[in-house]
Amino acid sequence: MADNEWTTFNASGNLRVVVTKELPGDRWLKILEQAGCRVEYSTTTRILQVDEIKAAIGDRCDGVIGQLTEDWGQPLFAALKAAGGKAYSNYAVGFNNVDVDAATQNGIPVGNTPGVLTETTAEMAIALTFSAARRVVEADEYMRRGRYEGWLPTLFLGQLLNRKTVGVVGAGRIGATYARMMVEGFKMNFVYYDPYPNERLEDYIRDYAAFLEGHGEEPVNVTRADSVEQVLREADVVSLHPLLDPTTHHLMNEERLNLMKPDAILVNASRGPVIDENALVAHCRKHPDFRVGLDVFEDEPEMKPGLNELNNVVIVPHIASATSWTREGMATLAAGNVAGVLRGLPAWADQDDILPFLGDDAPDACPSIVNAEELGLPVAG
């Protein structure tokens, strides 16, 4: 890689940390500097390949912060171990791009960045929902092309979502937050599928239903579905928030898409491969009133042929977590993971209580190490 694609910070640091993309803000740099690290980060916009990352690791590297677009498997963890590496953190809450078993076999703790993406990602899912429902992108393009000649009764008719049914597949932190925003904001009934019941979410919606009844309004209801198929049949809007694993790859295929209402809305701000994109293109062509909002894609950064030609699909370039607060918070957590391991700090136990690491008095711990138990690391908090 060209030298001008890399920048060094704190050149006098005695520990070497490689960061495969420049991260927002400067707190992450200060955290690593305080841990005695020399930081070398890539300024290229390209996705780095395995051989390029190996070359960046070189023969001496203490830690790496990598990206979800990179393939962190045995070759990279073996290279990091051979270079004396002791820590890796993904700059993401998800780590389906990381072979955690390979990292563990090489004795490398793997960090991630949970807790700071929840509201931001849920808000983007809502933005996609209403952009699709109200045909915002189509109408924007119509205006920019100078085609607007005056108000018309039938111009860009969309969907009213108030008092309809919203469905969620995967009711973890982000899915549950999206559900609360949609139910509370637009008085929608809620149906969800998750292998594990979210009793806290169900209680919250039932309490909201009682509040509505107490004010003389129709209550909302909540249903935990027995299957994904039940959600797809019943919901007017379906937002996908599952983990990506072999059981959810192409979760939305031709058969399941056909179960949805012909004018339903499908939103994906989780992982691209949960949708069979070719099947989605065919379905959207066949059902012009079916609408979709996508933040992620099956073969990023590529899209399957025909997707970008569809007026009933809203597409944005993987920006669900793209607020300054969230992205800087992710950088803080990723740096805290690497710096913490290099300082010999314990792993933080409470993954529902990450926000203290963003304050001025951060705990003396690694914010989130996903294989701490497997490596026998001490735990605090």
Side-chain angles (χ1 to χ4, degrees):
M1 238 182 136
D3 290 342
N4 62 4
E5 291 183 330
W6 290 85
T7 295
T8 299
F9 174 82
N10 191 36
S12 63
N14 55 15
L15 297 171
R16 181 172 179 262
V17 171
V18 169
V19 184
T20 60
K21 283 288 181 292
E22 182 177 7
L23 305 180
D26 60 3
R27 187 176 178 188
W28 66 280
L29 288 167
K30 294 175 181 176
I31 290 170
L32 292 168
E33 180 182 26
Q34 289 166 2
C37 299
R38 168 193 172 102
V39 183
E40 297 174 18
Y41 59 87
S42 171
T43 56
T44 182
T45 58
R46 296 184 299 103
I47 295 173
L48 299 185
Q49 302 304 306
V50 169
D51 286 346
E52 293 179 293
I53 299 171
K54 277 186 180 179
I57 289 170
D59 57 10
R60 179 179 169 258
C61 180
D62 296 282
V64 177
I65 297 175
Q67 313 299 314
L68 57 82
T69 53
E70 300 159 0
D71 183 10
W72 277 87
Q74 176 65 23
L76 284 181
F77 285 118
L80 183 55
K81 179 182 180 181
K86 299 178 179 65
Y88 171 80
S89 185
N90 225 30
Y91 179 70
V93 61
F95 46 91
N96 54 283
N97 65 305
V98 178
D99 185 339
V100 178
D101 289 340
T104 302
Q105 289 164 13
N106 284 283
I108 307 240
V110 172
N112 69 332
T113 64
V116 294
L117 293 82
T118 303
E119 286 77 13
T120 304
T121 304
E123 285 181 1
M124 176 53 74
I126 286 178
L128 288 170
T129 300
F130 283 92
S131 292
R134 299 304 302 273
R135 304 175 65 179
V136 171
V137 175
E138 291 177 82
D140 178 271
E141 184 180 13
Y142 185 83
M143 289 292 293
R144 292 177 189 276
R145 291 187 175 183
R147 297 176 61 187
Y148 182 56
E149 297 178 350
W151 185 89
L152 291 172
T154 57
L155 187 62
F156 290 112
L157 297 182
Q159 293 283 349
L160 175 70
L161 298 185
N162 189 65
R163 288 291 183 180
K164 291 192 175 178
T165 298
V166 60
V168 162
V169 177
R173 289 189 187 95
I174 296 170
T177 300
Y178 172 87
R180 288 197 301 268
M181 290 176 175
M182 293 292 286
V183 171
E184 219 177 343
F186 307 100
K187 299 174 184 175
M188 301 183 77
N189 294 321
F190 177 54
V191 56
Y192 79 100
Y193 175 77
D194 195 291
Y196 307 98
N198 190 327
E199 295 177 359
R200 184 176 179 183
L201 174 60
E202 292 183 24
D203 289 344
Y204 184 97
I205 293 174
R206 292 190 184 103
D207 287 345
Y208 177 60
F211 170 84
L212 290 175
E213 252 187 325
H215 286 75
E217 295 192 52
E218 181 86 14
V220 296
N221 60 61
V222 54
T223 302
R224 181 183 175 222
D226 294 327
S227 64
V228 172
E229 287 77 9
Q230 182 182 346
V231 175
L232 300 179
R233 290 189 187 98
E234 294 183 8
D236 299 289
V237 179
V238 175
S239 191
L240 304 175
H241 300 279
L243 297 173
L244 177 61
D245 61 26
T247 69
T248 59
H249 183 268
H250 282 189
L251 176 77
M252 296 303 299
N253 53 22
E254 180 183 2
E255 181 181 358
R256 288 201 174 103
L257 286 166
N258 284 328
L259 295 176
M260 298 182 71
K261 298 176 182 181
D263 61 350
I265 297 164
L266 178 66
V267 175
N268 187 17
S270 59
R271 291 289 181 264
V274 303
I275 297 179
D276 179 344
E277 222 165 90
N278 285 322
L280 181 67
V281 169
H283 188 82
C284 289
R285 284 174 172 162
K286 185 178 179 180
H287 301 280
D289 291 331
F290 186 85
R291 305 209 169 268
V292 180
L294 299 176
D295 176 61
V296 289
F297 305 90
E298 188 173 353
D299 300 316
E300 288 188 26
E302 304 299 325
M303 292 184 289
K304 287 293 194 287
L307 188 66
N308 65 340
E309 301 169 1
L310 296 168
N311 290 332
N312 51 344
V313 179
V314 177
I315 48 178
V316 296
H318 206 147
I319 57 172
S321 65
T323 65
S324 297
W325 183 87
T326 294
R327 292 284 176 87
E328 289 181 23
M330 291 167 62
T332 296
L333 295 180
N337 285 327
V338 171
V341 171
L342 296 180
R343 292 172 56 200
L345 298 179
W348 188 247
D350 190 352
Q351 294 301 285
D352 292 321
D353 188 29
I354 291 294
L355 295 185
F357 287 93
L358 305 185
D360 293 332
D361 190 20
D364 282 333
C366 308
S368 180
I369 302 297
V370 301
N371 57 343
E373 183 177 351
E374 291 79 358
L375 290 171
L377 299 181
V379 175

